[in-house]
Every structure is written in C-alpha cells, then in structure tokens.
Amino acid sequence: MNTNCSDKLKNHFESYLKKLDRKAYPLLGVRNKKIPSFWPAVSIGCEYRSCCICDSSGKSVSPQCHISLRKELEKLGPIGVKVSGCDSINGSCAEDRSADRVLEKWKMKHGEILTLDKLVFTPAVRARTRKVVKPCANCKKVFK
C-alpha cells in the first residue's frame, strides 16, 4: 500500500479529522466531552492525482462498487461478510470505502478505469486518538 501522499491530501485529511472532532465535541471543541458511539474505528485519506477523498470505516461498500476494487475484494470472499484470517468485514474498511469513492469519482470525471496500485493513502488513524493503525489482513491483500 502506497502511503507516500501529497501535502494536499495530508491537509485534506487533517480537515476531515477536525470535522469529525467538531461533530463529536460540540462544546467549542473541548476534547473531554466524548461521544463514543460517534467515532468511527478508523479514518483514512486516499488520492489519485488531483482527486482526494477521506472516509472512515463503517458499512461495507456496495457489491456494485468500482470494478477494480470489487475484483480484489471478491478474491477474499463475499463483500459484507467476515472472511477467514481477518477480524474486519470484507469491504468495510476505511481503505475500501475511500478507494471506491476515488475510483468512481475519477471514472465519472475522466472516463478512465484505474487499478488499485495507482492509489495513494494517508496512514490510517483512529480519529479520536490520532494513533496510527496498521492495515488489516484484508487491506494488505487488496491494496498490495
């Protein structure tokens, strides 16, 4: 997984995390009033050239997600189901969700179907603590 991202994506990702903070800490951004159910497990930024998207783990991508992503996810097993060797649900990682959005946006804007190796990511972090999280076994296989 390529994590050598641009300054533009780093800034975009930091803004995304601050936006999550503002939702979670409505009282002037005070970080001692936590809303645990709000925080996503992991957040990440993804880019290809000028297209930057930040997203968080959550609901699985659609089985009709971008074809490049779908092919790799289906090698692991059905999308939306836990597969052996990983605690994550196939397609629900922040990497999957952000990659799908970048791939679809690029396809709609430029008509070009990208491969996953062209994508660049920020390090994945826990939004609440800002601690870097290693990619899960599924993401290591999908985003080689």
Side-chain angles (χ1 to χ4, degrees):
M1 183 180 309
N2 185 351
T3 57
N4 190 17
C5 63
S6 69
D7 288 337
K8 177 184 174 185
L9 179 58
K10 289 176 187 173
N11 293 335
H12 189 65
F13 187 51
E14 189 56 39
S15 295
Y16 176 80
L17 293 173
K18 286 178 183 178
K19 183 178 168 185
L20 291 178
D21 283 346
R22 285 192 299 273
K23 285 182 180 179
Y25 303 116
L27 301 174
L28 302 175
V30 176
R31 291 188 71 101
N32 62 359
K33 180 141 176 119
K34 295 181 177 160
I35 305 172
S37 63
F38 170 79
W39 292 107
V42 177
S43 298
I44 200 165
C46 179
E47 74 179 340
Y48 176 72
R49 293 190 184 171
S50 62
C51 185
C52 296
I53 298 286
C54 298
D55 210 332
S56 299
S57 57
K59 187 177 175 186
S60 292
V61 294
S62 164
Q64 288 77 38
C65 62
H66 189 275
I67 189 159
S68 299
L69 180 61
R70 184 172 62 237
K71 283 181 181 178
E72 291 301 317
L73 290 174
E74 288 176 346
K75 287 179 185 177
L76 302 175
I79 295 173
V81 176
K82 276 192 181 184
V83 292
S84 64
C86 188
D87 290 333
S88 300
I89 294 173
N90 193 18
S92 68
C93 294
E95 292 89 339
D96 301 323
R97 293 165 51 89
S98 61
D100 183 45
R101 291 179 58 202
V102 167
L103 294 166
E104 286 296 337
K105 186 175 180 180
W106 190 263
K107 182 178 154 191
M108 288 178 68
K109 190 172 183 180
H110 300 282
E112 182 182 357
I113 296 179
L114 301 175
T115 56
L116 299 181
D117 62 333
K118 299 205 185 286
L119 301 177
V120 178
F121 295 90
T122 63
V125 299
R126 298 231 183 269
R128 182 175 54 82
T129 63
R130 302 297 199 270
K131 294 203 185 226
V132 174
V133 180
K134 292 181 182 178
C136 71
N138 289 351
C139 289
K140 286 179 185 176
K141 292 175 187 170
V142 172
F143 303 101
K144 308 170 189 85

